[in-house]
Amino acid sequence: MKKLINKLLVNHSLIYKLFLYIATIILVVYLFPKGGQFKYEFQKGKPWQYENYYAPFDFAIQKTETEIENEKQQITQNSKHFFEYNEEIVERVKNEVTQKSTEVFQNSELSQEEKLDLNTRIATILATIYQYGYIEASSESKIEKAAITLRKGNKIEEIQPYKLFTSSQILNFLNSKIGTQPYTEVQNQLLNILYDAIKPNVSFDEVFTQKTLEENLNKISYTKGLVSENERIILKGDIVEGENLRVLNSIKNEFESQIWSKSNYNWIVFGYTILVALAFLMLFLFLRKYRLDIFENNNKVTFIFFNIILIVLLITIIVKYDAQYVYVAPIVILPLVLKAFFDARLGLFSHVLTVLLLGFIVPNSFEFIFLQIIAGIVTILTISELYKRANLFISVLQITFVYFIAYFAFSIIQEGNASNLNWEKFLYFALNGAATLFVLPLIYIFERLFGLISDESLKELSNTNSKLLRELAEKAPGTFQHSLQVANLAEASANEIHANAMLVRTGALYHDIGKMDNPMYFTENQSTNVNPHNELTPRDSAHIIINHIIKGVELAKKHHLPDRIIDFIRTHHGTSLVYYFYKKEEEYTGEDVDESYFQYPGPIPFSKETAILMMCDAVEAASKSIKEPTAQAFDALVEKIVNKQMEDGQFMNADITFKELQIIKKVLKKKLKNIYHLRIEYPE
């Protein structure tokens, strides 16, 4: 049991990677659609490249979206507008008019014959108005057709719109039917009663109209015609267009919408699992072969897998909602983020693998994969310095333009002309570009979540007005000036061998912050001839000098500097000796001295950037001791220091070549000559 536990502890990093690998496969396969897949790829306007294709089963030919939309528009245009006839209002009006007219007749001196005539007129007026009804003013705008449908209870009647009375017609109609002018007093009274009592009783029935429209729309058939099993669909070499295209799209949709049995479902999941496992295995192998430092860092591996899952999840959500918006998703953020934290090659490799996986989810997978891979390549090639916002903005414009051009080419190939372009897609690409600009805040979030560092953060840290560097300038001004000189040398060297110049410059600015603890024990900060080391033993002096590494690491962690910057503090002296005090101890004791008391704790540099800093730091410090600065003196100094570091094995773990070391030597020699060049003496 103990051996098993020890093995688990020793191999915990590998076990974690295996767990991450399996968990990622399960999650990605879970997100994938589990329906059937049509095994043939085809495009409009292109020849059918496979053998003659026959229907494997009976299926219906589906109508195109355009046909369905036209049918819906036709139904909507021809849909009936229903108006409701209210019987209660009619009865209420008749009762009110009868009651009030009776009161008028009782108080009048009209003869029975005259009363009967007026009653007949009133009854005729009401019967005429309410034969079809008096429409509400708010419903008049709904009368748009030659005929309308009137609902009287459960009865429906088609009538001409002019048969309905409107508010503008009522008064003239009453005047014409109540009698001849001039009206008698009784006629005027009756006219006022009718005008006040008559109310609209016909209104637009929006609920019933909409319900009828929806019922008619639901009756639309989405298919036309039937293809029988073993019926020939298309011949090899035939152009995929017209009826062929409709039939192929129909059977493709039929495959993708099939409800699979349990056995089929399991096989589909098994197939997906193999393909996804292969894709992520390729990523692991790439990291193992070309980026071993990342492969051995579980945090970084987790970060890469997390970003890939995030993109797959985003596309899955969009496809489930509406696949036409798939190009709005800023997939190029993936290579951007990975390039910002690692390198361009890893960013592009991960992007290509992710896009290939997404081909299982999206419609028109070939078009999608082509567009996204081209966009990813453009992203990697155009964005060189992400921390410069202008560079990012220009690169996003270039990426969007490439999307436009590539989609335009696909469209004219498929449609045969440029008149049927889907202009909405261009809007989606523009939104994609705008969303890509979100990469900067996203990088900041990832830095906090995963403890990584990007060029944007390096730019902020390299600002000499930052709190820690201002403190260094105040407490140890000589060290601060030394750090600036080293930063300039290191940046120039990194640029020549294509290392991370921003990283090495930032590391150089902070590499000696530990000297703030005892600044006067370092010669660059001694403004007088008093040297405090004169009062100490060589061993004590060496301890103070070496201790600036430990103090620097403590100070860096206290101010939450990233680990990649702390690495420069730890490695800039490697495991070299404090040679001056080592020799002084030999002279003092006259015996062999234990080197461990005078040796820096290390570790030795493990990257190009940390190796560059070691060389630049030693050369810049030693250059101050040259009394007569000449070109030959600087050449000899650089050769001596760098060769000594190589002989001591300080660069064994650094990924740096002999050719790159020679280039760095040339840069250092040239820069030192420029710094210490002699000026002419001006006459007094």
Side-chain angles (χ1 to χ4, degrees):
M1 186 67 181
K2 188 175 181 181
K3 289 182 178 180
L4 178 63
I5 294 173
N6 287 335
K7 279 189 176 181
L8 291 175
L9 291 174
V10 170
N11 298 307
H12 73 279
S13 179
L14 189 61
I15 293 170
Y16 174 80
K17 290 182 181 68
L18 182 62
F19 170 77
L20 179 66
Y21 178 66
I22 295 171
T24 304
I25 292 170
I26 293 172
L27 182 58
V28 171
V29 172
Y30 173 77
L31 292 173
F32 277 4
K34 306 305 186 300
Q37 291 287 329
F38 191 52
K39 60 182 179 179
Y40 300 110
E41 283 285 342
F42 59 90
Q43 287 183 328
K44 181 181 178 182
K46 300 292 286 291
W48 180 257
Q49 299 175 352
Y50 310 99
E51 295 299 324
N52 299 347
Y53 186 50
Y54 297 87
F57 47 76
D58 295 340
F59 66 93
I61 302 173
Q62 297 178 350
K63 295 177 182 176
T64 64
E65 290 184 5
T66 305
E67 289 174 331
I68 294 170
E69 190 60 34
N70 290 338
E71 211 169 315
K72 286 182 177 180
Q73 289 180 2
Q74 191 69 24
I75 290 173
T76 303
Q77 289 173 2
N78 297 330
S79 177
K80 294 179 179 179
H81 280 196
F82 288 88
F83 291 80
E84 186 178 9
Y85 185 96
N86 194 322
E87 294 280 4
E88 292 181 4
I89 293 177
V90 176
E91 289 301 318
R92 195 161 57 244
V93 169
K94 287 181 178 179
N95 291 336
E96 183 180 347
V97 170
T98 301
Q99 180 184 351
K100 290 184 178 180
S101 61
T102 301
E103 292 176 1
V104 170
F105 290 148
Q106 287 175 352
N107 297 327
S108 68
E109 298 178 355
L110 295 175
S111 63
Q112 196 64 30
E113 185 179 345
E114 289 174 329
K115 291 179 181 179
L116 183 61
D117 178 59
L118 287 173
N119 271 328
T120 303
R121 288 175 182 272
I122 291 171
T124 302
I125 289 171
L126 294 176
T128 304
I129 291 174
Y130 289 114
Q131 181 182 0
Y132 298 106
Y134 171 19
I135 190 168
E136 292 179 350
S138 60
S139 299
E140 290 179 18
S141 61
K142 301 297 181 180
I143 303 176
E144 302 172 348
K145 302 183 179 182
I148 63 172
T149 306
L150 194 63
R151 283 201 318 123
K152 289 185 178 182
N154 294 327
K155 295 180 181 180
I156 292 177
E157 182 180 0
E158 294 278 346
I159 65 168
Q160 299 297 317
Y162 71 85
K163 292 184 177 181
L164 292 175
F165 277 85
T166 62
S167 56
S168 60
Q169 298 171 336
I170 289 295
L171 184 57
N172 291 335
F173 179 74
L174 294 177
N175 286 333
S176 65
K177 297 298 182 180
I178 198 66
T180 56
Q181 295 185 359
Y183 301 138
T184 64
E185 183 180 348
V186 173
Q187 287 176 325
N188 276 323
Q189 289 177 348
L190 292 175
L191 186 62
N192 289 331
I193 289 170
L194 287 169
Y195 191 75
D196 290 338
I198 292 174
K199 297 291 189 293
N201 74 315
V202 175
S203 60
F204 176 62
D205 194 343
E206 186 171 359
V207 174
F208 193 81
T209 300
Q210 189 62 31
K211 181 181 177 182
T212 305
L213 175 60
E214 289 175 0
E215 287 176 355
N216 292 333
L217 291 174
N218 290 334
K219 292 177 183 177
I220 292 176
S221 174
Y222 289 85
T223 63
K224 59 174 184 179
L226 182 71
V227 175
S228 302
E229 185 178 356
N230 295 324
E231 183 178 335
R232 189 182 67 199
I233 294 176
I234 191 169
L235 294 173
K236 183 177 181 180
D238 282 357
I239 302 300
V240 179
E241 59 184 0
E243 189 65 22
N244 287 341
L245 179 62
R246 281 194 289 272
V247 175
L248 286 171
N249 280 328
S250 298
I251 193 169
K252 181 181 178 183
N253 292 335
E254 192 71 25
F255 266 101
E256 292 175 350
S257 62
Q258 283 180 0
I259 300 173
W260 293 85
S261 65
K262 187 174 181 181
S263 59
N264 284 336
Y265 179 87
N266 291 337
W267 278 110
I268 290 171
V269 171
F270 180 66
Y272 275 146
T273 303
I274 292 174
L275 294 175
V276 174
L278 280 174
F280 284 110
L281 179 61
M282 293 305 104
L283 181 57
F284 266 124
L285 292 176
F286 176 87
L287 293 174
R288 180 70 179 80
K289 185 172 179 61
Y290 297 107
R291 293 306 307 269
L292 187 60
D293 57 321
I294 296 176
F295 179 80
E296 292 176 347
N297 189 317
N298 286 340
N299 184 50
K300 293 179 179 178
V301 173
T302 304
F303 173 71
I304 295 168
F305 276 64
F306 174 79
N307 277 275
I308 293 174
I309 292 171
L310 207 60
I311 295 296
V312 174
L313 178 62
L314 175 63
I315 296 299
T316 305
I317 293 171
I318 293 174
V319 169
K320 286 184 178 179
Y321 174 72
D322 193 338
Q324 69 172 333
Y325 298 119
V326 74
Y327 286 113
V328 176
I331 295 178
V332 294
I333 278 183
L334 176 63
L336 268 177
V337 168
L338 295 184
K339 183 181 179 182
F341 288 109
F342 307 118
D343 62 68
R345 186 165 58 166
L346 174 58
L348 183 59
F349 189 86
S350 303
H351 176 70
V352 170
L353 282 181
T354 305
V355 170
L356 290 175
L357 289 175
L358 294 177
F360 294 112
I361 302 175
V362 299
N364 299 323
S365 56
F366 177 77
E367 175 187 306
F368 178 85
I369 290 172
F370 184 87
L371 286 175
Q372 297 298 354
I373 289 179
I374 290 295
I377 292 171
V378 172
T379 302
I380 293 297
L381 294 178
T382 56
I383 298 184
S384 55
E385 295 174 312
L386 191 61
Y387 62 89
K388 293 183 179 179
R389 289 172 293 180
N391 283 2
L392 176 62
F393 184 75
I394 293 169
S395 295
V396 166
L397 290 179
Q398 292 172 333
I399 294 165
T400 307
F401 180 71
V402 168
Y403 271 129
F404 286 171
I405 295 298
Y407 174 71
F408 175 78
F410 266 103
S411 295
I412 60 175
I413 289 172
Q414 294 172 1
E415 301 293 339
N417 57 65
S419 60
N420 295 324
L421 287 176
N422 184 355
W423 294 104
E424 284 188 3
K425 286 283 182 71
F426 291 96
L427 174 61
Y428 298 157
F429 292 134
L431 292 174
N432 183 311
T436 304
L437 295 173
F438 184 69
V439 69
L440 289 179
L442 192 64
I443 286 173
Y444 177 80
I445 293 169
F446 285 151
E447 285 179 335
R448 295 296 176 267
L449 287 177
F450 292 91
L452 301 172
I453 185 168
S454 66
D455 286 350
E456 183 68 21
S457 294
L458 291 174
K459 178 187 174 185
E460 293 176 6
L461 289 170
S462 64
N463 186 351
T464 53
N465 285 320
S466 64
K467 181 180 178 182
L468 193 55
L469 291 180
R470 281 206 315 269
E471 188 178 350
L472 177 64
E474 291 171 3
K475 291 184 177 180
T479 300
F480 178 71
Q481 292 301 322
H482 160 72
S483 299
L484 287 176
Q485 293 280 25
V486 172
N488 291 332
L489 292 173
E491 184 178 21
S493 301
N495 281 325
E496 287 298 318
I497 66 168
H498 306 292
N500 191 331
M502 180 61 72
L503 176 63
V504 73
R505 177 177 180 82
T506 308
L509 290 172
Y510 289 91
H511 79 282
D512 270 344
I513 56 173
K515 292 181 178 179
M516 283 193 288
D517 192 51
N518 289 302
M520 297 309 296
Y521 284 88
F522 300 90
T523 55
E524 67 265 23
N525 298 310
Q526 295 170 1
S527 55
T528 63
N529 292 327
V530 178
N531 189 342
H533 286 290
N534 294 335
E535 300 176 2
L536 301 175
T537 64
R539 184 175 292 188
D540 289 338
S541 294
H543 175 73
I544 292 174
I545 299 297
I546 292 170
N547 203 46
H548 88 273
I549 301 291
I550 299 167
K551 292 292 183 181
V553 172
E554 291 175 355
L555 197 58
K557 288 183 176 180
K558 179 182 176 182
H559 285 80
H560 307 291
L561 291 183
D563 289 340
R564 290 179 75 185
I565 301 303
I566 296 175
D567 288 340
F568 286 95
I569 300 173
R570 294 165 54 231
T571 62
H572 74 274
H573 285 297
T575 55
S576 60
L577 294 174
V578 185
Y579 199 71
Y580 176 81
F581 290 109
Y582 171 74
K583 284 297 183 182
K584 198 170 181 181
E585 178 74 0
E586 277 189 340
E587 294 174 6
Y588 182 73
T589 59
E591 301 174 357
D592 291 336
V593 178
D594 186 357
E595 291 185 357
S596 62
Y597 290 105
F598 297 88
Q599 189 174 33
Y600 284 99
I604 60 176
F606 47 79
S607 65
K608 288 181 183 180
E609 289 77 16
T610 50
I612 289 170
L613 178 61
M614 171 179 272
M615 288 181 270
C616 294
D617 179 49
V619 166
E620 201 284 331
S623 67
K624 299 290 179 60
S625 63
I626 296 179
K627 296 178 180 179
E628 296 182 5
T630 62
Q632 292 78 11
F634 288 130
D635 289 349
L637 177 70
V638 171
E639 290 290 340
K640 176 185 174 184
I641 290 176
V642 175
N643 289 341
K644 181 69 167 60
Q645 290 173 338
M646 290 172 61
E647 290 169 7
D648 291 344
Q650 298 296 323
F651 305 138
M652 286 178 61
N653 294 339
D655 182 21
I656 194 165
T657 64
F658 284 110
K659 181 180 179 181
E660 288 170 337
L661 287 171
Q662 294 303 319
I663 293 172
I664 292 170
K665 285 181 184 179
K666 290 179 182 178
V667 173
L668 293 177
K669 292 172 185 177
K670 181 180 177 182
K671 287 290 180 182
L672 288 177
K673 292 169 190 175
N674 290 337
I675 293 171
Y676 294 100
H677 72 281
L678 297 175
R679 296 181 181 272
I680 61 171
E681 291 188 16
Y682 291 93
E684 296 183 1

